[in-house]
Amino acid sequence: MTRSDPEARPFARGARLLGRLAMVWTAWVLVSMTTSVAEPVSYLVISGGEPVGWMLVDLDGRTVEIDYHVDNNGRGPKHQERLELDADGYPVLWTIDGTSLFGGAVNERFERSDGRLSWTSQADAGQAPAPEPVLYVANDASPWSLALYAQVLRGAPGQALDVKPGGRITLTEVRRAAVGDSGVEGTIYRLTGLNLAPGYVMLDDQNALIGDLGGVIREDLAEEAPTLRALHADLESERISELQTRLARRFDAPVRIRNVRIFDPESGALSPLSEVTVFDERITTILPETDARARDDAYEIDGEGGTLIPGLHDMHAHNSLQSGLFYLAAGVTTTRDMGNDNERLLDLTDQIEQGLLPGPRIVRNGMLEGRSPHSVRTGILADSLDDALEAVRWYADQGYWQLKIYNSLHPEWVGPVTAEAHRLGLGVTGHIPAFVTPDQALEAGYDEIAHINQLMLGWLLEPGEDSRTPLRLTAMARGANLDLNSAPVQRTIDLMVAENAALDVTAVTLETLMTSRAGQVPAMAEAFIDNMPIGYQRYRRRAFVDIDTPEADAAYRGGFQKILETIARLHDAGIVLLPGTDDTLGLTVHRELELYVLAGLSPAEALTAGTLTPERYMGRDQSLGRIARGMLADFFLVPGDPTRDINAIRAIRMVMKDGVVYLPSEIYPELGIRPFVNGVHIQPPRTPSEGGQADATDAPVLFGSQGMDHHHH
């Protein structure tokens, strides 16, 4: 059995999963056989090789009706859409009614008539004159919208359009492709400008949707879903590999970074002005700043009095091809992956380590879920205790660092699974499975708990309540009245101290889910939202829970305030806090650390939690987590002093990971984001070093947001 032979693996998507897919598919086919004038086109939503939802599209002339329903891991959008199209395929009426990911109400409406258009959505509302057809980009649309946009853009000049409420989207024809062995062929298009990552759509020769390459596929082609996923991975790998070639700077001589103060996570203080020299992937010397002239044999970067900070960590990541550049631009040089498609994660890690793709160092945790109606389709899904134990052994053999247990693992399996993981040298973290308490999980051997809500639900849920449902979020509103001095709270904290258990906090995740409100910019995004693409800006102005009364609003806000108070209580007790985001934006790591400061930690303590603490926890602090001679060169440069204001970490001029330099001012425009600060000057050696020069010219070059004549190696 080899990694290149996923179908041979007991845990890859093989015949057993295809058989299960076929059974569920058949059931949904029966559901979809409605009687209408025009037979609806039925699509399945596939995740982790299994159906998790459907999309029924009923086209009758210029009227389109869509039923979109996803239930994956106890959550997913569920709504109905209705569109009226004009003769050119532009919507003149578009309504979307239902619920979003965690149940927040969706009542979106767009209309164009009498030379004007108007819209209202979770994010915004507006009106504008429209003497000519205008393409509206919906906020809560189903994946069918991608086909609509592609069809309209195919007839637009340059296949690009300014759209409402804002922004510009572009269509690129990528290639013709066969849908596996089905005999069906289609054309793949790439849509850019909608959001942070491009969208892909495959249309047949009648310009009807085949699939979106991301998990939605026509039901008669469902067994070819892995083919479309592989196509998506290939296309994105090509795109991002090309970006890596242009954006990553490797050097054939030492790199001297002058005029910087170094943040020391052990003391929490900044050094006097210093110069740091890097060769290959290691820090080689650190000396007091002398204002000496530039060396002839080294590249030189003037830090202009800024602060050099060890690389940040996201200890709750789900890495993807797309996430690498977002992380690096935010100064995040290490992530811990908390659950993924195992085959893709192993390949991604290999390609990043070889320098073929951009991205942080990845520490792999293996996700283990038990089968239930609420199962998530990530990692390995076990049908029996024997399956679960075999999964643990597979993760250990593949070099995973920890096991991550998820919501539906059967309570009676927790003990033996944890014992087997420890026998094989794996740590154990994760959610607290339904009908298990945090105390029981810790007593069974958990080394860590993932998500602060998973910890606090032990103090908030009644016996028998099911945390596999959205209750694991909505019950956090009860936290507003939680007494942190109560016996149950103190018992759990004492148990964590006794067991030396850590907490993977993800405070920013809970803040986003509990305090986001329709039409408002959430606090977690205030610092960066104006720089983001319009699609992301609108996406952020949404509610994730149903806020139907002022009392509900106050309960969720009070519940989140209690989360901050709990963070302070855990920190005071000496419990290791690991910053994580459950996100791939990178920028949310900055907010995670800011929330620790709002909870009462000093900026220096929060910064230590984001730099050295994770490396100590993972036993790698002899090579990473500090800026010192002999350490691996993972750090970033900011103009300000983050020990005074934690938000100084947001203005990143340069990132070095493993001795390779990236400039966020160059990365962000490639991602549709306006840069936050200019890049640095890189002065090449004055005389060629042995073996020639890399990435240099005979004169200084500004590598920044305005620098266009880049010299790439």
Side-chain angles (χ1 to χ4, degrees):
M1 188 183 306
T2 66
R3 282 193 10 213
S4 60
D5 184 17
E7 292 303 320
R9 262 191 210 179
F11 304 110
R13 283 174 289 285
R16 182 173 62 177
L17 290 186
L18 285 175
R20 189 177 295 117
L21 187 152
M23 287 189 290
V24 184
W25 170 23
T26 301
W28 270 332
V29 171
L30 295 174
V31 170
S32 71
M33 287 181 177
T34 59
T35 56
S36 67
V37 176
E39 187 71 21
V41 181
S42 184
Y43 299 83
L44 290 186
V45 182
I46 309 291
S47 177
E50 300 195 2
V52 296
W54 67 81
M55 182 173 71
L56 296 177
V57 181
D58 191 350
L59 297 99
D60 187 1
R62 295 180 187 170
T63 300
V64 186
E65 294 187 352
I66 300 167
D67 181 15
Y68 183 49
H69 182 107
V70 177
D71 190 352
N72 187 15
N73 186 18
R75 61 193 180 195
K78 301 166 182 64
H79 50 68
Q80 287 74 45
E81 299 178 52
R82 187 173 188 275
L83 297 91
E84 299 285 347
L85 308 178
D86 69 10
D88 296 316
Y90 287 77
V92 294
L93 177 69
W94 195 344
T95 62
I96 307 171
D97 296 288
T99 56
S100 60
L101 184 68
F102 275 99
V106 173
N107 303 107
E108 186 168 357
R109 182 179 181 87
F110 165 81
E111 188 170 12
R112 174 167 60 90
S113 62
D114 300 326
R116 293 192 64 80
L117 55 83
S118 61
W119 71 90
T120 180
S121 73
Q122 277 207 78
D124 48 21
Q127 301 182 46
E132 302 292 333
V134 174
L135 182 60
Y136 173 74
V137 173
N139 196 44
D140 279 289
S142 68
W144 187 84
S145 62
L146 296 175
L148 170 70
Y149 304 148
Q151 290 166 8
V152 171
L153 286 163
R154 287 179 75 247
Q159 296 194 324
L161 281 175
D162 293 327
V163 295
K164 290 295 183 183
R168 183 173 179 84
I169 61 175
T170 302
L171 184 73
T172 304
E173 183 174 327
V174 179
R175 68 172 68 154
R176 290 279 296 178
V179 184
D181 298 323
S182 66
V184 175
E185 288 192 357
T187 303
I188 298 171
Y189 296 91
R190 179 187 292 127
L191 285 149
T192 53
L194 286 170
N195 219 311
L196 295 171
Y200 290 88
V201 65
M202 189 178 203
L203 304 182
D204 65 18
D205 292 335
Q206 286 72 49
N207 294 322
L209 177 67
I210 294 174
D212 69 350
L213 309 197
V216 174
I217 188 169
R218 223 170 62 196
E219 70 170 10
D220 60 305
L221 302 171
E223 291 193 2
E224 302 296 346
T227 302
L228 294 196
R229 292 285 296 185
L231 269 172
H232 180 270
D234 289 346
L235 294 172
E236 281 295 88
S237 183
E238 290 171 12
R239 181 179 71 91
I240 295 166
S241 177
E242 189 273 332
L243 288 174
Q244 168 77 338
T245 301
R246 288 196 284 117
L247 298 172
R249 287 182 171 72
R250 296 176 177 84
F251 303 94
D252 63 346
V255 179
R256 179 192 188 207
I257 304 164
R258 295 185 48 249
N259 197 16
V260 292
R261 300 183 189 277
I262 301 167
F263 173 71
D264 176 10
E266 292 183 296
S267 68
L270 299 188
S271 74
L273 285 175
S274 305
E275 62 176 54
V276 177
T277 301
V278 173
F279 185 61
D280 287 339
E281 76 279 10
R282 298 270 176 185
I283 298 166
T284 51
T285 58
I286 299 177
L287 299 169
E289 178 59 48
T290 61
D291 289 324
R293 76 177 189 87
R295 286 166 45 180
D296 292 339
D297 63 344
Y299 294 84
E300 187 154 306
I301 297 169
D302 186 350
E304 299 177 3
T307 305
L308 216 56
I309 304 165
L312 297 175
H313 295 68
D314 188 344
M315 294 293 281
H316 196 119
H318 298 279
N319 294 273
S320 68
L321 276 168
Q322 295 84 0
S323 64
L325 284 171
F326 287 99
Y327 275 128
L328 291 174
V332 178
T333 56
T334 295
T335 61
R336 181 178 59 165
D337 194 287
M338 293 290 279
N340 218 309
D341 177 294
N342 291 318
E343 191 73 28
R344 285 205 301 267
L345 181 63
L346 289 165
D347 290 341
L348 178 64
T349 306
D350 283 349
Q351 292 190 68
I352 290 174
E353 289 177 352
Q354 293 175 48
L356 302 175
L357 292 174
R361 302 175 192 276
I362 298 175
V363 175
R364 299 189 306 269
N365 277 13
M367 190 159 166
L368 176 61
E369 172 71 309
R371 183 169 297 283
S372 82
H374 305 283
S375 300
V376 68
R377 274 75 172 180
T378 305
I380 296 174
L381 188 58
D383 291 296
S384 67
L385 177 57
D386 285 344
D387 275 357
L389 295 174
E390 190 60 33
V392 175
R393 295 168 194 136
W394 186 86
Y395 282 131
D397 287 344
Q398 296 292 328
Y400 283 66
W401 187 61
Q402 284 178 315
L403 181 73
K404 179 193 177 185
I405 290 173
Y406 209 67
N407 297 323
S408 291
L409 196 79
H410 295 277
E412 63 270 21
W413 299 357
V414 173
V417 161
T418 301
E420 182 68 357
H422 287 162
R423 183 182 76 86
L424 296 170
L426 293 173
V428 177
T429 182
H431 289 208
I432 306 300
F435 315 116
V436 176
T437 69
D439 292 9
Q440 290 169 339
L442 290 164
E443 288 165 346
Y446 266 47
D447 301 293
E448 174 193 326
I449 293 172
H451 303 297
I452 195 165
N453 64 312
Q454 292 286 323
L455 170 67
M456 296 177 68
L457 287 171
W459 312 324
L460 299 172
L461 291 181
E462 299 295 330
E465 288 189 308
D466 192 345
S467 61
R468 296 172 298 180
T469 69
L471 187 67
R472 64 183 182 271
L473 168 61
T474 58
M476 293 303 294
R478 305 173 189 174
N481 300 315
L482 177 65
D483 178 5
L484 293 181
N485 294 313
S486 64
V489 173
Q490 195 55 53
R491 181 181 188 278
T492 304
I493 292 176
D494 289 345
L495 190 56
M496 291 184 77
V497 172
E499 299 291 338
N500 198 27
L503 177 68
D504 161 19
V505 187
T506 65
V508 68
T509 310
L510 275 299
E511 179 189 39
T512 302
L513 295 172
M514 294 174 69
T515 69
S516 294
R517 299 293 180 264
Q520 300 176 24
V521 176
M524 55 76 67
E526 285 175 354
F528 59 79
I529 194 165
D530 289 344
N531 295 61
M532 307 303 279
I534 184 68
Y536 182 87
Q537 292 190 33
R538 296 186 77 213
Y539 173 79
R540 281 272 71 100
R541 294 182 173 97
R542 69 172 60 225
F544 291 91
V545 290
D546 196 11
I547 307 294
D548 52 1
T549 65
E551 291 76 17
D553 176 65
Y556 278 108
R557 294 188 189 280
F560 183 69
Q561 184 58 39
K562 195 58 58 84
I563 286 176
L564 295 181
E565 294 172 20
T566 303
I567 290 171
R569 185 67 62 95
L570 297 171
H571 176 71
D572 291 344
I575 290 167
V576 172
L577 302 178
L578 301 169
T581 69
D582 212 0
D583 187 30
T584 55
L585 187 61
L587 296 168
T588 43
V589 174
H590 305 158
R591 178 61 176 177
E592 178 79 4
L593 300 183
E594 184 186 8
L595 287 171
Y596 298 173
V597 175
L598 294 175
L601 279 70
S602 71
E605 287 174 325
L607 208 50
T608 297
T611 55
L612 179 59
T613 298
E615 294 300 342
R616 279 187 170 155
Y617 181 70
M618 296 186 291
R620 309 192 314 178
D621 52 309
Q622 294 307 302
S623 295
L624 291 160
R626 295 178 295 123
I627 298 172
R629 174 174 167 78
M631 304 287 277
L632 290 167
D634 285 18
F635 50 72
F636 63 101
L637 174 68
V638 300
D641 179 356
T643 65
R644 294 178 179 271
D645 178 7
I646 190 65
N647 280 303
I649 62 176
R650 297 185 184 274
I652 299 176
R653 300 191 65 200
M654 177 197 76
V655 178
M656 184 174 277
K657 181 239 171 177
D658 218 23
V660 179
V661 165
Y662 296 86
L663 301 182
S665 56
E666 292 182 350
I667 293 174
Y668 280 130
E670 300 287 352
L671 305 176
I673 298 172
R674 183 161 47 85
F676 299 92
V677 66
N678 285 334
V680 295
H681 292 273
I682 301 179
Q683 166 74 53
R686 281 183 162 75
T687 57
S689 59
E690 289 185 13
Q693 290 190 14
D695 216 359
T697 64
D698 293 331
V701 178
L702 171 62
F703 297 122
S705 58
Q706 307 303 318
M708 290 301 170
D709 47 345
H710 304 150
H711 300 263
H712 301 290
H713 175 55

